[in-house]
Amino acid sequence: MFSFWPKQRRRSHLLEQPFPDSWEPIVQQNVYHFHRLTDEQRDKVRRDLRVYVAEKNWEGCGGLEINDEIRVTIAAQMAILVLGFKEQYFDAVLSILVYPDAYMAKGQHLIEGGLVVEGPSAREGEAWYRGPVILSWADVLESGTGANRGHNLVFHEFAHQLDMLNGRVADGLPPLDSSDDMARWEALATATYNQLRQACSEGYRMVFDCYGATNMAEFFAVATETFFEKPREFQKHYPELYGLFTRYYRQDPLSWDS
Ligand SMILES: [Zn+2]
């Protein structure tokens, strides 16, 4: 517990400083979700994003020079994902590595040893257990501005991080409050995942992207994107699963001002 206090003190000190003027237009322009939030929710996003910007090791890769626009755009979306949580600073994520664009990699998709690689070739992002989160700036910006509606790379990668909070393996089962919810989640998520696999193999489209049919971890990450990006469709077709997502994320994107 001894080392807990300096971190808390540093955070309090940071949050006593005024929000940087130059950051506000970045959030306003690059993160469309921000406009749908209440004043109180926006204040929480501003607070959390400052902690992420200050505490994570941000690194530009592949020739990308990291700057405030990149840090703030990513951090704001991280904050919106966990808006309903009292405190979620992703302490296991020490570094965020940002490439200019989806980058080529020879790795295949695997979820072993806590590594989630988005594959198979043009990688948009990665999430490691207690390792860096790796993102493509082009895709982050598309996600934030809603250019590719229904998809959000930041929500996706950080959903993997939430999934890994209860164990090093991303299994599509994030930590839930009660064993009741856990059992319902497992049953419903598995049934919906199986439907998605079936639909995708037959060439049908569901509200969830077929990337979610890869495995249960991807299903959770993709369903998280759908939850925030297409809540109406999610709720309409899968009301019970949607209800569990609102309980887990402690927020209902349908109630956001639009
Ligand atoms: Zn993924």
Side-chain angles (χ1 to χ4, degrees), residues 205-255:
R205 306 272 309 163
M206 279 172 65
V207 60
F208 307 111
D209 190 279
C210 281
Y211 192 59
T214 309
N215 53 47
M216 285 295 286
E218 295 308 339
F219 179 73
F220 173 60
V222 165
T224 294
E225 293 179 76
T226 311
F227 178 67
F228 287 101
E229 299 285 335
K230 292 181 171 176
R232 207 163 297 282
E233 289 97 317
F234 189 157
Q235 201 272 342
K236 186 175 160 213
H237 295 289
Y238 302 95
E240 203 181 347
L241 188 61
Y242 185 86
L244 283 175
F245 269 71
T246 61
R247 283 163 68 96
Y248 172 62
Y249 280 108
R250 294 170 172 81
Q251 58 171 321
D252 183 355
L254 276 177
S255 71

